[in-house]
Amino acid sequence: MDPTGDELNQETTQRSWRLPAAAWRLEPFAARAAQRQSRPVTAEQLRAQLRLATTPQHVSVAKNFQPAIGHQNVASPHHVGETSRPTDDVLEADLLGGSSLGGEDDLLGGEVSDPLTDPLMNLGPSSEASDHGVELADDPHANLWTENCYPSAESCRACHPVQYEQWRASGHAYASVSPMFQRFDQAMTEYTEGTVGSFCVRCHSPVQTQLKIPRSTSILDAPPVVREGVTCIACHRINEHYWRSNGDRRIVPGDLHAPVYGGSGGAGVARAVANADSLKLKLNSDDTSPGQAIHREGRFFLPLTNSDVCVSCHQVAVHPGIWLEVVHAQYRSGPAAERGITCQQCHMGAVPGKPLGYELNHVASLNDKPWGEKRKQSNHQFWGPGFSIAHPGLFPHHPKADRYTPREWLKFDYRAGWGTEAFERTVDATMVFPAPWDTPDDRRDARKIIDANLAKLQQKRSAATQTMEAALKIEGPLMRHAPQVGQPFRFSYRIHNVSEGHNLPTGSLGAQPQLWLNVALIDPDGRRVWESGYLDRHGDLADMNSVDVATGCVPRDADLFNLQTKFLINNVRGTDREAALPLNFSLDQLVFLRPGAIPVSVLNHPPLIRMEAHSIPPCDSRTAHYTVPASVIRKRGTYRLSVRMRSRTEPIYFMRQIESTPDMIQRMLGNTLDLHPQSHSIRVR
């Protein structure tokens, strides 16, 4: 009797899931940990054993060291790329820290870490671990084994090129390779002495979690499917509904031919499989004939058709009970859920941020030809406000980028124009480039990938602006009295959240996205005489988190309208104060993240820490009030009020606390979104 399809799938899964010799194994780490339990260890020893990326403390630099922002890696014209270490990304850059973009000494007089020290020098398995064969990168068969269990998006691209092209620049594709995520997760691990566990990685890198790749392993050395973050199989190889599981979901292991789960039932796949010979399709890994490999079955999975599939990662709480993602709870209590509008309709529909239907298209291509009838096609760009600050050789994902390793990409100085005709005409024999960029052909090939990715990033940025503007309306200026010379000028703007789905802003509150109103008054001579929502010289808003405000360099912005949600702690005793990280900083020697001793339901928030929300609920509004002092209204004539909402995914002071590189901060500042910019003329008598 021939085995059934389910039996074949089960047999394939069991065969492919056997752990090879080179797979990640925790036994060596556990054995060493057991040996150390017999003697107490200090916090520094514990951190060293966990092999976290800590910058050596014995190295310091001159007090006046102050690299130029965005150019700290520029070499002399006659020695390119060798004498300076790549500082383009946190994944292989120096962590200057400090209190300013330039990375100089902090306000307390502490010394800055050596900018030429690689922060990843302490990352990765130790030599002792290497003896046990846990370094996956050393085994030439390792990536093949990983692909047989967890196929990458590159494998799915053959049949689904449209979905791949949409996904490769999306927030899901960016989840793992994001420098901000890597720094945030590293900082949380160090601050909590490892007690945060796999909380962050479970959502951002589900394949890494399931492969049990140690936290100490650099993302640069992980298998390609790990760098894909929330890749195809993270949603389409899930066959159980996990609800609020804090990102803890199980991907069903299996090769490319194993079943996938979707919202249509797989009728198109069944027709293709029935005509496999005429279509030249390969249905199992043993088939070596020419043709296109596909999965043998498509199965219907109800949660993928509604908002339930989003909840496990978009409604999460970290100990001691702080909700870092609250968007699903906001959605469930909002008008969109009551009307039956799903998350997918706004974030995967035809129009960014609006439930206006889906595009109709062929869902798959077989041998470069559209297959089946046109039907609803969900957009896998996942419309949202995020943007990338990673090196464009690493992100967006590109099918030809795997010609070079991630570490090689980080050495490619795309800002200097490498690979462009203008630059290559200036290259002479005295210039030295790091391998593999020491040949003109490689530089030109890499430039084509870089240019394609930069164009894709610009599309993503435009879509992010469109998504935010779809939910936002600025009403005003609203004035009770006409402005007069020598009198204070009072006015207001009303900010509307016209979305029915969730609060504005929302998303990952752990990163505390900022959305603020920037208003400026220009006098009849064209001079800006007053402003609110301005930035200090470090890129921070002029509030209590600004170093320049604290040191008296810039005045505090008393009229600031900022919709950022913040963490408040009382540090065991005392009044509430703002904190950049979701940690209830206890006074213990080790800051452990632990469940609260008092039920959250009693206090309505965990002990010692709570969140202060400033966001606007769906279909609601808030009013920003402003007062321009009489001293700046000196002339009669026509004044101009210019206004815009500004959005960025992380505050700059937060980035400094987790030791983001100056280049990361510069990219965050450069990618700030300007929403609904407008000007209004006002007559002053």
Side-chain angles (χ1 to χ4, degrees):
M1 180 177 178
D2 294 334
T4 64
D6 287 340
E7 291 171 344
L8 281 174
N9 294 333
Q10 183 178 7
E11 180 183 353
T12 302
T13 299
Q14 292 175 348
R15 185 172 62 251
S16 61
W17 186 235
R18 295 192 184 104
L19 208 62
W24 299 101
R25 296 205 304 267
L26 298 183
E27 291 85 349
F29 297 94
R32 293 198 303 275
Q35 295 174 1
R36 297 187 182 105
Q37 286 179 354
S38 59
R39 59 183 185 276
V41 295
T42 65
E44 290 301 321
Q45 289 173 333
L46 178 61
R47 183 178 289 110
Q49 292 169 10
L50 290 173
R51 304 191 59 76
L52 302 179
T54 54
T55 307
Q57 298 179 357
H58 64 278
V59 184
S60 62
V61 297
K63 292 285 185 181
N64 60 356
F65 178 79
Q66 194 169 9
I69 301 306
H71 301 283
Q72 66 270 28
N73 193 32
V74 177
S76 62
H78 297 286
H79 199 75
V80 184
E82 286 293 331
T83 58
S84 59
R85 298 186 64 86
T87 59
D88 195 26
D89 201 289
V90 69
L91 301 178
E92 197 172 63
D94 60 280
L95 303 181
L96 297 179
S99 60
S100 73
L101 293 183
E104 62 263 27
D105 297 340
D106 61 33
L107 295 177
L108 300 179
E111 293 182 335
V112 184
S113 301
D114 185 357
L116 300 182
T117 301
D118 183 0
L120 298 182
M121 63 181 300
N122 293 329
L123 278 179
S126 64
S127 57
E128 180 182 357
S130 301
D131 296 337
H132 295 276
V134 299
E135 290 199 45
L136 196 60
D138 291 344
D139 186 351
H141 304 97
N143 286 342
L144 177 61
W145 173 82
T146 305
E147 179 70 16
N148 284 338
C149 289
Y150 303 101
S152 71
E154 295 295 335
S155 301
C156 304
R157 180 175 62 91
C159 292
H160 304 285
V162 175
Q163 291 88 337
Y164 174 87
E165 184 63 22
Q166 295 167 344
W167 166 86
R168 74 182 186 93
S170 68
H172 280 179
Y174 184 59
S176 180
V177 78
S178 162
M180 274 304 303
F181 163 68
Q182 294 294 328
R183 281 306 319 147
F184 191 9
D185 186 34
Q186 182 70 38
M188 287 291 291
T189 302
E190 293 180 358
Y191 273 120
T192 66
E193 302 297 336
T195 54
V196 71
S198 63
F199 175 81
C200 303
V201 182
R202 291 199 296 264
C203 284
H204 283 259
S205 190
V207 177
Q208 175 182 349
T209 305
Q210 196 148 326
L211 284 172
K212 297 183 179 180
I213 296 178
R215 172 64 185 84
S216 57
T217 301
S218 171
I219 188 69
L220 301 175
D221 302 321
V225 67
V226 171
R227 294 195 297 273
E228 291 176 355
V230 184
T231 186
C232 306
I233 59 174
C235 294
H236 293 284
R237 283 279 175 87
I238 302 293
N239 63 0
E240 296 180 67
H241 183 29
Y242 289 88
W243 196 236
R244 294 182 179 178
S245 60
N246 289 331
D248 212 356
R249 303 191 303 177
R250 178 180 179 271
I251 300 172
V252 180
D255 61 15
L256 182 65
H257 306 286
V260 297
Y261 299 85
S264 63
V269 177
R271 288 196 302 271
V273 170
N275 296 278
D277 292 338
S278 60
L279 294 173
K280 295 183 179 180
L281 302 179
K282 297 192 291 186
L283 304 181
N284 59 74
S285 57
D286 297 328
D287 189 348
T288 58
S289 62
Q292 184 169 330
I294 69 168
H295 43 81
R296 291 188 295 267
E297 185 181 357
R299 297 177 180 176
F300 178 74
F301 186 49
L302 180 62
L304 284 174
T305 66
N306 55 51
S307 302
D308 290 348
V309 73
C310 310
V311 65
S312 58
C313 282
H314 291 280
Q315 186 71 31
V316 299
V318 66
H319 287 315
I322 284 291
W323 290 98
L324 299 187
E325 284 270 1
V326 296
V327 60
H328 192 266
Q330 294 171 353
Y331 160 77
R332 290 191 68 198
S333 60
E338 185 176 357
R339 291 180 52 198
I341 298 174
T342 65
C343 302
Q344 293 91 325
Q345 287 177 262
C346 289
H347 292 279
M348 299 183 72
V351 179
K354 294 291 186 181
L356 300 178
Y358 296 86
E359 295 180 353
L360 296 178
N361 206 340
H362 298 281
V363 178
S365 296
L366 299 180
N367 297 312
D368 298 326
K369 296 180 181 179
W371 171 254
E373 300 177 353
K374 288 186 177 181
R375 60 180 178 86
K376 182 190 83 172
Q377 184 182 83
S378 300
N379 193 305
H380 284 68
Q381 185 168 324
F382 304 100
W383 310 117
F387 46 80
S388 169
I389 60 172
H391 189 291
L394 296 181
F395 188 85
H397 300 286
H398 194 285
K400 296 182 180 179
D402 60 358
R403 289 183 53 186
Y404 310 103
T405 68
R407 295 187 185 275
E408 289 172 342
W409 272 117
L410 291 180
K411 297 177 182 178
F412 186 86
D413 192 350
Y414 69 97
R415 288 196 182 100
W418 289 10
T420 62
E421 291 304 320
F423 176 85
E424 296 302 331
R425 284 195 296 267
T426 67
V427 176
D428 56 42
T430 63
M431 292 185 178
V432 179
F433 295 86
W437 312 121
D438 47 359
T439 64
D441 288 342
D442 279 307
R443 293 196 297 271
R444 286 189 171 95
D445 290 344
R447 171 54 62 174
K448 294 177 182 178
I449 296 173
I450 291 290
D451 288 344
N453 279 353
L454 289 176
K456 191 68 177 179
L457 288 173
Q458 188 57 44
Q459 294 177 10
K460 175 65 172 70
R461 178 180 170 82
S462 298
T465 300
Q466 188 176 353
T467 303
M468 291 294 292
E469 289 186 339
L472 175 67
K473 177 185 175 183
I474 302 176
E475 179 187 358
L478 308 174
M479 297 173 287
R480 291 187 177 181
H481 306 286
Q484 296 181 359
V485 171
Q487 297 294 325
F489 174 32
R490 295 181 176 87
F491 64 96
S492 62
Y493 284 95
R494 187 169 293 120
I495 309 302
H496 296 265
N497 177 7
V498 297
S499 167
E500 297 179 314
H502 48 69
N503 287 27
L504 178 75
T506 188
S508 176
L509 300 183
Q512 304 158 74
Q514 291 182 317
L515 181 65
W516 74 96
L517 197 61
N518 183 205
V519 187
L521 181 66
I522 294 91
D523 71 4
D525 297 329
R527 296 183 300 110
R528 183 172 52 184
V529 295
W530 175 89
E531 184 176 6
S532 177
Y534 52 87
L535 304 179
D536 67 12
R537 59 177 176 166
H538 306 302
D540 279 311
L541 294 169
D543 58 10
M544 63 176 295
N545 294 294
S546 167
V547 174
D548 283 350
V549 170
T551 56
C553 296
V554 298
R556 184 178 68 89
D557 190 349
D559 294 316
L560 177 63
F561 181 82
N562 180 17
L563 298 177
Q564 173 190 356
T565 295
K566 300 180 179 181
F567 298 107
L568 300 181
I569 64 171
N570 60 25
N571 214 28
V572 180
R573 299 291 182 186
T575 57
D576 287 336
R577 69 205 72 177
E578 292 182 11
L581 292 175
L583 302 170
N584 54 337
F585 291 102
S586 71
L587 299 181
D588 298 335
Q589 292 179 338
L590 297 180
V591 185
F592 288 154
L593 279 181
R594 56 177 73 82
I598 303 175
V600 174
S601 58
V602 175
L603 300 176
N604 202 30
H605 63 83
L608 313 182
I609 184 172
R610 63 188 179 92
M611 299 184 75
E612 183 182 44
H614 297 273
S615 57
I616 306 175
C619 302
D620 203 348
S621 65
R622 288 187 59 193
T623 302
H625 298 277
Y626 298 99
T627 300
V628 179
S631 59
V632 304
I633 310 294
R634 298 177 178 178
K635 293 184 177 181
R636 292 181 174 86
T638 302
Y639 286 68
R640 190 171 77 253
L641 264 179
S642 295
V643 62
R644 60 183 176 177
M645 288 295 290
R646 310 202 74 195
S647 172
R648 61 188 179 198
T649 51
E650 282 90 16
I652 304 304
Y653 66 84
F654 166 75
M655 296 184 69
R656 288 202 308 273
Q657 177 161 346
I658 64 174
E659 297 184 301
S660 300
T661 65
D663 189 78
M664 290 171 58
I665 295 176
Q666 186 71 9
R667 291 186 191 182
M668 183 64 66
L669 291 170
N671 281 289
T672 301
L673 302 180
D674 293 329
L675 311 172
H676 291 309
Q678 51 194 271
S679 292
H680 304 271
S681 297
I682 298 173
R683 185 71 178 176
V684 175
R685 300 177 181 178

